[in-house]
Amino acid sequence: MKRLSIVLTILLFLYYKGFSQNVKTEVYSLPWTNSKNEKKNEARKKLIPCLSNDNLVFKGGLVLYSRSNKTNKYDFGGLSALHCFDNGRTIMTVSDYSLEEKLAKQTQFKSKWFQFTLEYDDEQTLVGAKGMVKGQVHDLNSLIIRGEIESMAYLGDSIVYVGFDNLNYLLSYDLKKSGFGCAVDKLSVDDKQCFPARKNAGIEALTNVGDSLFAIYEVKGNDNDYYEAWLIDSGGKNTERLRYNGFVNVSDTYMNNSSILKEVKGATTLQNGDIVILEKLFKRLIRQIVFVSYSSILRK
């Protein structure tokens, strides 16, 4: 009996340390405008017209939750990076922080990866998610990453790069070999000349441009009117410094107000080669999606 108790203790220790990579659990979802909180639901409905225009049509959203830990509403954390494949039917996403409970009842935030299947109705509107698989994200030494993952980009079918707050490098993973169980490469982006302009800022936008990666720093430098950006080849041997000036289609009153905090929050590449960049402004919480031709990004 004593030996069995020791074995169970060891297994529990390994589990809570995150050595179990593919933990299957159920994911529950509600349509974004079907909240149990009616006040919150009405606020979401008012936002829908703002999320559509002549170029973009809002196709629905989801509120996700998991019962793997009934007392932990932070199981997902903040889903800071995502990638859709299988023609939009499967989604891979990584959190900046997810809450982990330890044996001693202490809590700690870690980055996690999640993958699940998206469901659509007959009009191809997003209505649900199911079949979630999740696990920890590890570094080059197979140690669990503490958090701060903010961006993700695919190169090819299985190579994934992730970027971090406060760190001037990217880590890459081969999902067909070791998955997120061990990083396979580290690509330095900058010599820390631009890191950090402020705490909790880093490579927030990351996308593939052909066989290279295009990365944008989250905030503008103290004396710059542009965002630092980089073009990195897939081997990490050549890094070209660029600048992204940003695009803010608001009145001059807000443009000239230095108290407004402007940030780049994400990027993706379209089939025609154009880059879609998400910008956010704080003060009146203006969000906008910007279509940028790659050739319009100025080289230094």
Side-chain angles (χ1 to χ4, degrees), residues 9 11 45-46 53 63 65 72 78 83 95 98 104-105 134 143-144 154 168 194 204 215 217 259 277 282 294:
T9 301
L11 289 175
K45 288 180 179 178
K46 290 179 181 178
N53 56 38
V63 179
Y65 62 102
N72 179 14
H83 178 80
S95 67
S98 295
K105 298 298 182 180
K134 66 178 182 177
L143 299 176
I144 297 172
Y154 270 65
N168 67 327
C194 309
E204 191 84 9
Y217 191 60
S259 66
I277 298 174
F282 294 94
Y294 175 67

Side-chain angles (χ1 to χ4, degrees), residues 16 36-37 43 51 61 87 95 101 103 129 158 169 175 189 202 251 258 265 269 280 284 293 298:
Y16 279 98
K36 296 178 181 179
N37 184 324
L51 299 174
N87 199 25
S95 67
E101 290 193 356
L103 287 174
S158 64
Y169 59 80
L175 299 187
V189 175
S251 69
S258 60
K265 303 306 292 184
T269 304
K280 182 165 69 174
R284 294 193 64 177
S293 171
L298 301 178

Side-chain angles (χ1 to χ4, degrees), residues 150-213:
E150 294 291 350
S151 55
M152 176 174 65
Y154 270 65
L155 274 183
D157 295 330
S158 64
I159 304 300
V160 174
Y161 288 83
V162 298
F164 303 84
D165 274 336
N166 305 320
L167 300 177
N168 67 327
Y169 59 80
L170 309 172
L171 290 181
S172 66
Y173 298 85
D174 189 334
L175 299 187
K176 288 185 178 178
K177 293 182 178 179
S178 55
F180 285 108
C182 183
V184 297
D185 198 7
K186 175 180 176 180
L187 300 183
S188 294
V189 175
D190 193 80
D191 58 4
K192 290 201 174 182
Q193 180 179 351
C194 309
F195 284 75
R198 70 171 175 82
K199 190 176 180 181
N200 197 37
I203 299 297
E204 191 84 9
L206 184 65
T207 186
N208 65 308
V209 182
D211 294 329
S212 300
L213 295 166

Side-chain angles (χ1 to χ4, degrees), residues 8-21 23 100-104 106 108-112 135-139 141-146 180-181:
L8 289 175
T9 301
I10 293 173
L11 289 175
L12 282 171
F13 176 79
L14 293 177
Y15 175 79
Y16 279 98
K17 279 295 183 181
F19 294 152
S20 178
Q21 280 299 292
V23 182
E100 283 291 307
E101 290 193 356
K102 299 300 178 182
L103 287 174
Q106 296 178 340
Q108 190 171 3
F109 288 96
K110 305 284 187 181
S111 285
K112 286 184 182 178
Q136 302 284 359
V137 183
H138 294 69
D139 62 15
N141 298 313
S142 298
L143 299 176
I144 297 172
I145 290 175
R146 65 180 185 178
F180 285 108

Side-chain angles (χ1 to χ4, degrees), residues 45-261:
K45 288 180 179 178
K46 290 179 181 178
L47 271 176
I48 289 178
C50 302
L51 299 174
S52 297
N53 56 38
D54 293 339
N55 299 313
L56 299 172
V57 178
F58 179 66
K59 297 296 290 182
L62 297 176
V63 179
L64 303 175
Y65 62 102
S66 169
R67 291 179 184 165
S68 60
N69 187 337
K70 295 181 180 179
T71 63
N72 179 14
K73 64 180 181 180
Y74 301 108
D75 185 55
F76 283 101
L79 302 182
S80 58
L82 59 87
H83 178 80
C84 283
F85 45 100
D86 296 339
N87 199 25
R89 297 288 170 177
T90 304
I91 188 169
M92 168 74 75
T93 181
V94 178
S95 67
D96 49 2
Y97 292 101
S98 295
L99 192 63
E100 283 291 307
E101 290 193 356
K102 299 300 178 182
L103 287 174
K105 298 298 182 180
Q106 296 178 340
T107 57
Q108 190 171 3
F109 288 96
K110 305 284 187 181
S111 285
K112 286 184 182 178
W113 63 268
F114 303 88
Q115 182 172 311
F116 43 84
T117 302
L118 299 177
E119 298 178 309
Y120 299 84
D121 62 15
D122 293 339
E123 297 180 352
Q124 294 303 298
T125 299
L126 193 62
V127 294
K130 64 179 182 180
M132 185 174 72
V133 180
K134 66 178 182 177
Q136 302 284 359
V137 183
H138 294 69
D139 62 15
L140 287 164
N141 298 313
S142 298
L143 299 176
I144 297 172
I145 290 175
R146 65 180 185 178
E148 299 183 337
I149 294 179
E150 294 291 350
S151 55
M152 176 174 65
Y154 270 65
L155 274 183
D157 295 330
S158 64
I159 304 300
V160 174
Y161 288 83
V162 298
F164 303 84
D165 274 336
N166 305 320
L167 300 177
N168 67 327
Y169 59 80
L170 309 172
L171 290 181
S172 66
Y173 298 85
D174 189 334
L175 299 187
K176 288 185 178 178
K177 293 182 178 179
S178 55
F180 285 108
C182 183
V184 297
D185 198 7
K186 175 180 176 180
L187 300 183
S188 294
V189 175
D190 193 80
D191 58 4
K192 290 201 174 182
Q193 180 179 351
C194 309
F195 284 75
R198 70 171 175 82
K199 190 176 180 181
N200 197 37
I203 299 297
E204 191 84 9
L206 184 65
T207 186
N208 65 308
V209 182
D211 294 329
S212 300
L213 295 166
F214 177 57
I216 308 176
Y217 191 60
E218 183 176 1
V219 296
K220 293 182 178 181
N222 295 330
D223 301 320
N224 297 335
D225 59 354
Y226 54 85
Y227 299 87
E228 297 286 350
W230 298 268
L231 185 66
I232 313 155
D233 66 25
S234 57
K237 297 180 180 178
N238 183 31
T239 300
E240 182 179 1
R241 237 176 121 187
L242 310 173
R243 63 172 62 171
Y244 171 60
N245 291 329
F247 179 86
V248 184
N249 189 20
V250 295
S251 69
D252 291 339
T253 301
Y254 294 110
M255 276 289 293
N256 297 326
N257 190 334
S258 60
S259 66
I260 291 180
L261 180 62

